[in-house]
Amino acid sequence: MGEWLFWAEAAQHELLLFCGIWFLVGAADDLAIDVLWLTRRAWFACRGTKPAQHLHQLEPPRDPGLIAIFIPMWDEGAVAAQMLARCSERWAGANYLLLVGCYPNDFATLAAVDAAGRSNPRIVGVVNARLGPTTKADCLNSLWKELLRRERIAGETAKAVALHDAEDLVHPDEIALYDTLIERFDLVQLPVRAIAVPGSPLVSGHYCDEFVEAHDKVLVVRSWLGAGLPAAGVGCAFSRSMLETIAMREGGDPFCAESLTEDYELGLKVRALGGRQTIAHIRGRDGSLICTRSCFPDNFRASARQKARWLTGIALAGWDRLGWSAHPSELWMRIRDRRAIFAAYLLLAAYVAGLLTLILLLTRLIVPNQPSIGVSDQLLVLTGITFSALLWRLLVRSIMVARVYGLRAALWCGPRLLMGNLIAIVAATKALQNYISYCFGGVLRWDKTTHHFPPDPQDVR
């Protein structure tokens, strides 16, 4: 028993030390984002000015133009009709062209898109030349080619290209906002507000917490620092001229067909080419936030698959294609983006250390008076600091969630944080498997998740 306890305590000590040091590094990183976010708010408060918060405060577009909307779809027969009908309803009177990418072997989606096109001529189905699924980027490139073809025929060039997914609930003033801001920016990203699926407060609900913190704080800081703004792939618009510039540099296609996160990469490419970017928190004519609302996976397995795709594209494959940057703020943000795999396994090590600590405590209660190497005072201090940092992280997230979804939703932040960590660990493992397969000649496929089209909830703040 004594020898077993010695080795168990030694393992506990090393795990606690390893996790504590790296958690402290991560805490300092997150705290720096918090400080910069608060500094930015204080800066505007001291100057007595703040960015425009309502659509009517913005100058109207000098040269109103056509906004092209790209929606790639694969196996979306369950939600396509609802989504396209909602777009037609909410964008009535707006100047837009909605191009929907489909595949010849996806009959349900083709039928839904064809029916929507008959009722609204601004909705056009574009059938991919290849059987699906390919990648989302490949589908988007087919829509880009169709847009170029229609521009040549009509003699009218689109002003901007916006991206959406089949499960998105769009805002009535979205087109008007793009038309205004795209004259000053090459990428306009709207906030994404996740909608918790009924019966799944933890899995689908944890997206609510993560997107609020990411889009209301982290992306705001990234934009303020001048670092590349990763596009979310939904609720984002690119200037037509910037997309054409990227397409010319990439052999004719603006979206990297081999990428699983083409939206993320495209946002960084825009910044690398000197393009201006913004995350726009603007309220519409009815006072509601102009944002994109979506339902995300409501079960553990589907969520892990989705996040594995994100991790494969951002933390692994994207590293190969985009490399690093000499610009300090850009380098910092790319490190933050690519630390996710390491962070997931760090969490796993921490949970193992916690479980080991619990086993040792129970063993001491059952078999007292055994020799012990103990835990050093320095390690106790380190553990206390990192635990305090965790409480701070949870407090910040809870406050931000409460501002958007209310106090009741904020009470779920703790359990959702744990659920998000468990999903991240599984997703990191699958992402590594995907990337290793890709390195040995595997083909990247559109590993999509089953979507729920959201009801029209009460407006978020």
Side-chain angles (χ1 to χ4, degrees):
M1 176 67 76
E3 184 177 356
W4 177 88
L5 283 176
F6 172 80
W7 288 110
E9 287 186 337
Q12 176 206 30
H13 183 275
E14 295 304 314
L15 282 173
L16 287 174
L17 181 61
F18 174 78
C19 294
I21 291 174
W22 283 108
F23 278 149
L24 191 60
V25 173
D29 180 34
D30 290 334
L31 183 61
I33 295 291
D34 296 339
V35 170
L36 287 170
W37 182 71
L38 292 170
T39 300
R40 178 183 178 275
R41 292 176 67 89
W43 169 258
F44 284 114
C46 291
R47 293 179 60 189
T49 61
K50 56 183 178 181
Q53 294 181 318
H54 294 270
L55 186 61
H56 66 78
Q57 294 176 318
L58 299 174
E59 293 184 6
R62 295 186 302 273
D63 185 21
L66 175 70
I67 307 297
I69 313 292
F70 288 2
I71 305 180
M73 291 192 183
W74 161 251
D75 192 22
E76 300 289 8
V79 297
Q82 293 174 279
M83 192 273 179
L84 297 175
R86 191 64 60 84
C87 289
S88 297
E89 172 193 340
R90 295 200 159 194
W91 292 340
N95 187 16
Y96 70 94
L97 173 66
L98 202 161
L99 298 178
V100 185
C102 310
Y103 289 89
N105 55 330
D106 184 3
F107 305 111
T109 302
L110 281 170
V113 174
D114 182 64
R118 288 197 300 270
S119 62
N120 181 359
R122 291 186 178 274
I123 298 176
V124 178
V126 180
V127 182
N128 198 294
R130 292 187 283 177
L131 297 178
T134 56
T135 62
K136 189 175 179 181
D138 176 70
C139 189
L140 288 168
N141 283 330
S142 70
L143 300 181
W144 171 254
K145 291 181 175 67
E146 177 63 18
L147 175 63
L148 297 182
R149 187 186 74 82
R150 287 177 170 270
E151 288 178 339
R152 289 193 297 268
I153 295 173
E156 179 186 12
T157 301
K159 186 175 182 179
V161 173
L163 306 182
H164 268 294
D165 278 345
E167 73 275 19
D168 293 345
L169 184 64
V170 301
H171 193 280
D173 292 323
E174 180 177 335
I175 303 297
L177 183 60
Y178 291 151
D179 200 16
T180 298
L181 292 183
I182 210 65
E183 294 182 347
R184 291 190 286 145
F185 300 98
D186 293 293
L187 166 58
V188 177
Q189 175 67 61
L190 303 183
V192 175
R193 293 292 191 245
I195 300 173
V197 177
S200 179
L202 292 179
V203 176
S204 74
H206 92 278
Y207 288 94
C208 300
D209 304 353
E210 291 184 351
F211 272 100
V212 163
E213 194 166 14
H215 283 207
D216 286 15
K217 184 182 66 176
V218 179
L219 290 192
V220 171
V221 171
R222 288 181 80 136
S223 179
W224 191 48
L225 293 177
L229 198 66
V234 299
C236 57
F238 300 86
S239 68
R240 168 67 172 73
S241 58
M242 177 56 73
L243 272 190
E244 186 170 32
T245 298
I246 294 174
M248 292 175 62
R249 295 169 63 93
E250 301 291 337
D253 293 331
F255 305 95
C256 181
E258 295 183 350
S259 174
L260 292 177
T261 50
E262 69 295 324
D263 42 12
Y264 169 86
E265 294 186 14
L266 195 59
L268 298 192
K269 288 177 182 178
V270 169
R271 187 68 189 95
L273 291 172
R276 299 190 64 199
Q277 304 173 308
T278 186
I279 172 81
H281 291 81
I282 304 294
R283 296 191 175 276
R285 298 180 181 90
D286 61 357
S288 64
L289 182 69
I290 302 177
C291 63
T292 298
R293 290 177 285 188
S294 302
C295 288
F296 288 85
D298 61 349
N299 66 82
F300 190 98
R301 183 178 180 182
S303 180
R305 282 176 52 208
Q306 182 187 64
K307 290 199 167 186
R309 177 171 60 82
W310 294 351
L311 289 176
T312 304
I314 294 173
L316 297 172
W319 185 334
D320 292 338
R321 280 190 293 273
L322 299 177
W324 297 93
S325 172
H327 191 282
S329 62
E330 184 65 37
L331 177 62
W332 178 24
M333 293 304 156
R334 293 196 187 191
I335 292 174
R336 283 181 58 86
D337 293 341
R338 294 165 186 175
R339 70 180 185 179
I341 301 288
F342 175 75
Y345 286 112
L346 183 63
L347 287 169
L348 177 60
Y351 289 139
V352 171
L355 179 61
L356 191 56
T357 301
L358 179 61
I359 293 173
L360 287 171
L361 288 174
L362 292 176
T363 302
R364 293 292 176 190
L365 291 175
I366 297 172
V367 187
N369 302 322
Q370 290 289 326
S372 173
I373 61 176
V375 177
S376 66
D377 292 340
Q378 293 87 345
L379 186 54
L380 287 175
V381 171
L382 178 61
T383 304
I385 293 174
T386 55
F387 183 71
S388 299
L390 172 63
L391 294 180
W392 169 257
R393 177 89 280 109
L394 192 58
L395 175 64
V396 170
R397 174 171 288 190
S398 298
I399 291 173
M400 300 197 76
V401 169
R403 290 175 62 241
V404 174
Y405 294 100
L407 182 59
R408 180 176 295 181
L411 297 177
W412 283 95
C413 284
R416 286 172 174 174
L417 182 64
L418 175 60
M419 177 59 69
N421 289 345
L422 296 176
I423 291 172
I425 293 168
V426 176
T429 302
K430 183 171 177 57
L432 284 173
Q433 294 172 347
N434 292 343
Y435 184 64
I436 292 172
S437 174
Y438 170 69
C439 290
F440 283 92
V443 179
L444 295 176
R445 293 287 184 182
W446 193 343
D447 187 17
K448 67 174 292 296
T449 52
T450 301
H451 290 141
H452 304 270
F453 188 74
D456 197 357
Q458 294 181 350
D459 290 327
V460 292
R461 299 196 224 338

